[in-house]
Amino acid sequence: MMPVLELKCKYLKPALYDEEISVKVIMDKMPGIRIHFRYELNNEKGELINQGETLLVFIKHENKPPLPATARFH
C-alpha cells in the first residue's frame, strides 16, 4: 500500500476546456521507503500551466509499518 504523505500543487495558468494537456512525471532519485514524484503540465502551446509534487510511503497493509527497501519489490 502506498498512501500519500504530502501533496503540493501550483496553478500557473488555466487549462481551457477541450485543450489537450501533456503531463510529465519526474522521479529524481530511486525510491527508498518514500517515493517522490514531480509533475509538470503543459498546454497545447507548450506553456507550463501547473507544477505539482507527491510524496508517497510504502507500508504493510496488515499493521501499517514502513517497509524496508528489500521487501517492496518481491
Side-chain angles (χ1 to χ4, degrees):
M1 194 159 63
M2 291 176 50
V4 175
L5 188 63
E6 192 175 302
L7 170 72
K8 295 178 186 176
C9 187
K10 185 175 183 179
Y11 297 97
L12 305 170
K13 291 184 174 193
L16 304 176
Y17 181 76
D18 207 25
E19 183 176 40
E20 191 171 313
I21 305 299
S22 64
V23 179
K24 181 179 180 181
V25 180
I26 302 129
M27 187 172 59
D28 293 322
K29 60 181 180 178
M30 290 300 293
I33 290 175
R34 297 175 183 202
I35 184 168
H36 180 255
F37 292 106
R38 291 188 302 119
Y39 308 92
E40 295 177 355
L41 284 73
N42 291 282
N43 62 17
E44 291 175 341
K45 297 175 190 171
E47 300 170 318
L48 184 63
I49 61 171
N50 185 285
Q51 293 176 315
E53 297 180 37
T54 53
L55 181 61
L56 299 95
V57 63
F58 292 95
I59 63 171
K60 286 185 182 180
H61 181 64
E62 301 84 35
N63 52 4
K64 311 216 180 359
L67 282 173
T70 56
R72 279 193 308 277
F73 301 107
H74 294 286

